[in-house]
Amino acid sequence: MLNDELIEDNTLPSDFTALRYLREKRGLTGTKEGCASGDCGACTLLVGALEDGKLTYSTLNSCITPMQSLTGKHVVSVEYLSKTGELHPAQQAMVESHGSQCGFCTPGFVLSLAGLYENTQSNEQPIDREAVCDAISGNLCRCTGYRPIIDAGLSMFKESMVKEPMIEGSNETPYVELMSKNDSIKTQLKSLQTEPHDSSNYLQPTDLDQLAHALTSNPEAVLIAGGTDLMLENTQRYRDFNTLIDVSRVTELKHLHIGETSLTIGASVTYSELEDFSKTLYPHINSLLSRIASRQIRNRGTIGGNVANASPIADLPPLLLAFDADIQLLKNDGSTRVVNIADFYQGYKQTQLAKDEMIASFDVSLDKLAQFHRFYKVSKRMEDDISSVMLAVRFEVDNGTLTDVRLAFGGMAATPIRGLKAETALTGKLINDEQAINQAIEALRSELTPLSDMRASAKYRLDMASNLIRKAWLELNGTNVVTFSGHAVTDSILSTGSEASTHA
């Protein structure tokens, strides 16, 4: 469903993006293309999904989202927000706060703010600065500056109402400001749920049996989940995909639950889903997730994709290394095997995954989750950026002695890597042994040889890694290490230059 119109198009290539569909097929040119890689947010769309009778909306980057992946959902472009001729509160606030100059990025900002408005107002929650900054974290502006845009987000107000169609007697769907409360949209989406989602070149299995059949019938097909990296092969390298099998709706790959001894995370769980799940249970994991990419990317990108991609600068592999996580691998024939994360990476962009295997889930020990852990990401920007250095730390303490230590890094080698010598230097030592931490740092400097590149020099990386180990050790010993989150919120913070935060 696109805006207020049910559409059916079986002629699209599997990799035809939502951005291209809106602009080329429907003439909806309010959605812009800036980067074609999911970085700038000019192409942001709002997408509604009906689950268990509840309609919820989230943002995504249409430039790297296959149009067919949105089957059965409500796709909202900027044109829909003012279909009655009256501006949406997000649009009105942007006007009144002077939040636009050249206007190229404005539709993306408006849809991000409209998504925030939709979700906060439908749940009767206040809109604060942190929420606004999170909502627009994936939208870049080069001329206006973010102050008036943040002001616009903060000045949106609740005004729930039904607006009649512009032309009396029109068959258009009545506009309801809070789309999640629009019964007409819910009814139409519910009717779509009973229809098959598959096309000839884009398959969307919903369980493992359907997935196995799809894989058997299409042995040359490419798997896709969020597509936040895979689709760059299409938009940046002009690779055409023939058949895609979308695993994002496979129920067994979406499990996220706490068992008797472990936390199980399905491979198709998105960053945003894990972020929401961990908010109160595991705040340090939640804090790291808030630093990964942008809200649009976190709404689509998956945990399995981040690990299987095998990037040496991915943020989740060090976290999983710190917890000694087990990975369940699933073969096309339905058989499984378990590989520990420490054995999964074989070299640069190389893993233990066989051609007929995929990641099914991750198991993380509850005992290890209960131990002291910290995650630090160092990058040039707070949001929507790639790590220069990433450190995941876990300390097991027994009667003041470190009995098990994990120091796992990203950005320091061709694969995510542990500082084994540094771990050994700390294991068995008292937690407040300053000589031990100094020895661990020296050991780290002797065993890791990072590269210099456009993000950081080798020396910077090694110095930062050393400092982060010391930071974790200080926090273990009760020192409150004050760091800056990137979002100054009060005059006093601006004057002192510091802000208490869990961010590195």
Side-chain angles (χ1 to χ4, degrees):
M1 182 177 178
L2 175 57
N3 294 329
D4 58 358
E5 181 182 358
L6 288 175
I7 59 172
E8 183 176 352
D9 192 336
N10 296 318
T11 65
L12 297 178
S14 63
D15 52 16
F16 202 79
T17 65
L19 173 66
R20 290 188 63 192
Y21 185 81
L22 264 63
R23 293 182 63 85
E24 298 175 20
K25 299 287 188 180
R26 311 298 296 190
L28 298 172
T29 55
T31 305
K32 308 300 183 185
E33 179 177 58
C35 64
S37 59
D39 286 331
C40 74
C43 68
T44 298
L45 292 179
L46 260 182
V47 175
L50 185 65
E51 295 182 10
D52 299 324
K54 184 177 181 181
L55 181 56
T56 57
Y57 285 83
S58 60
T59 52
L60 55 75
N61 297 113
S62 63
C63 69
I64 53 172
T65 300
M67 185 63 193
Q68 294 191 67
S69 70
L70 303 178
T71 299
K73 298 185 178 181
H74 183 209
V75 179
V76 179
S77 71
V78 70
E79 288 85 355
Y80 181 70
L81 296 183
S82 56
K83 63 168 284 187
T84 65
E86 294 185 49
L87 296 181
H88 183 278
Q91 295 171 311
Q92 188 64 43
M94 286 285 280
V95 171
E96 294 177 355
S97 299
H98 306 286
S100 177
Q101 287 191 56
C102 80
F104 189 85
C105 68
T106 303
F109 272 101
V110 164
L111 280 167
S112 289
L113 291 176
L116 173 65
Y117 181 88
E118 178 76 30
N119 292 323
T120 54
Q121 300 306 295
S122 62
N123 294 311
E124 298 185 348
Q125 297 173 340
I127 297 176
D128 58 22
R129 183 187 177 89
E130 183 179 356
V132 173
C133 290
D134 175 81
I136 64 173
S137 62
N139 296 86
L140 301 184
C141 176
R142 299 301 187 193
C143 59
T144 304
Y146 293 93
R147 195 269 307 158
I149 298 173
I150 293 172
D151 288 346
L154 291 172
S155 65
M156 293 187 299
F157 57 91
K158 182 176 181 180
E159 187 185 345
S160 299
M161 57 185 173
V162 177
K163 301 176 183 177
E164 297 301 326
M166 294 175 68
I167 302 174
E168 281 192 35
S170 168
N171 292 323
E172 291 184 25
T173 303
Y175 178 86
V176 179
E177 188 178 79
L178 292 179
M179 293 174 287
S180 57
K181 307 295 185 184
N182 190 321
D183 290 334
S184 176
I185 294 175
K186 290 182 180 180
T187 300
Q188 293 183 77
L189 291 182
K190 189 173 182 179
S191 70
L192 293 177
Q193 291 181 338
T194 62
E195 300 177 9
H197 290 167
D198 290 349
S199 68
S200 61
N201 59 11
Y202 197 94
L203 308 180
Q204 295 180 286
T206 58
D207 58 41
L208 289 181
D209 288 339
Q210 291 181 15
L211 176 58
H213 181 264
L215 290 168
T216 302
S217 304
N218 302 273
E220 300 304 316
V222 175
L223 295 179
I224 185 172
T228 55
D229 187 76
L230 180 69
M231 284 300 292
L232 269 64
E233 293 287 316
N234 174 262
T235 63
Q236 303 294 311
R237 300 181 181 179
Y238 306 109
R239 174 186 174 186
D240 292 327
F241 295 102
N242 293 321
T243 301
L244 291 172
I245 299 177
D246 187 337
V247 299
S248 66
R249 304 191 190 199
V250 177
T251 302
E252 293 90 339
L253 304 184
K254 295 288 291 181
H255 288 164
L256 179 57
H257 63 87
I258 296 175
E260 291 186 8
T261 61
S262 64
L263 167 67
T264 297
I265 305 170
S268 290
V269 170
T270 66
Y271 301 115
S272 288
E273 289 167 342
L274 182 58
E275 190 178 359
D276 185 62
F277 177 86
S278 64
K279 188 172 297 182
T280 56
L281 292 170
Y282 307 110
H284 294 289
I285 294 177
N286 177 269
S287 181
L288 171 65
L289 289 166
S290 72
R291 292 288 313 282
I292 294 176
S294 65
R295 178 54 61 195
Q296 291 94 319
I297 294 296
R298 295 200 296 275
N299 287 337
R300 290 277 300 176
T302 64
I303 310 305
N306 189 260
V307 174
N309 181 267
S311 170
I313 49 177
D315 291 317
L316 292 182
L319 180 151
L320 295 170
L321 274 171
F323 289 124
D324 297 327
D326 286 326
I327 307 175
Q328 184 178 79
L329 305 182
L330 174 68
K331 284 185 173 293
N332 293 356
D333 62 9
S335 61
T336 62
R337 67 185 176 110
V338 175
V339 174
N340 188 269
I341 183 70
D343 303 316
F344 183 67
Y345 296 106
Q346 305 294 295
Y348 176 71
K349 301 291 279 187
Q350 297 177 338
T351 72
Q352 280 211 32
L353 277 173
K355 186 177 181 181
D356 63 342
E357 282 183 320
M358 71 186 77
I359 295 176
S361 62
F362 305 90
D363 288 315
V364 182
S365 164
L366 295 181
D367 288 340
K368 291 175 180 178
L369 280 166
Q371 295 165 5
F372 178 95
H373 56 266
R374 293 291 187 273
F375 313 108
Y376 308 115
K377 174 174 177 172
V378 178
S379 56
K380 294 183 182 298
R381 295 182 303 194
M382 291 301 295
E383 303 101 351
D384 206 11
D385 203 1
I386 295 171
S387 295
S388 299
V389 181
M390 162 69 192
L391 171 62
V393 178
R394 177 175 60 85
F395 292 135
E396 180 182 33
V397 180
D398 184 16
N399 292 324
T401 299
L402 292 167
T403 54
D404 194 26
V405 176
R406 288 293 181 274
L407 304 171
F409 294 91
M412 296 293 287
T415 66
I417 190 172
R418 281 170 52 190
L420 296 175
K421 292 182 179 179
E423 291 174 359
T424 300
L426 287 171
T427 304
K429 304 298 175 58
L430 295 175
I431 63 171
N432 60 355
D433 187 338
E434 189 165 2
Q435 182 178 356
I437 189 63
N438 290 334
Q439 290 173 345
I441 291 172
E442 289 304 312
L444 182 79
R445 289 181 172 277
S446 70
E447 67 177 320
L448 297 186
T449 54
L451 296 174
S452 293
D453 61 18
M454 60 184 292
R455 294 187 184 89
S457 67
K459 182 179 184 304
Y460 176 86
R461 284 190 161 104
L462 204 52
D463 287 346
M464 189 56 65
S466 301
N467 290 341
L468 292 177
I469 291 177
R470 187 177 297 278
K471 178 178 180 178
W473 178 79
L474 287 170
E475 292 184 351
L476 173 67
N477 282 279
T479 301
N480 181 24
V481 182
V482 177
T483 54
F484 185 57
S485 74
H487 298 310
V489 293
T490 66
D491 291 338
S492 61
I493 287 172
L494 288 170
S495 65
T496 59
S498 63
E499 178 183 357
S501 169
T502 54
H503 294 329

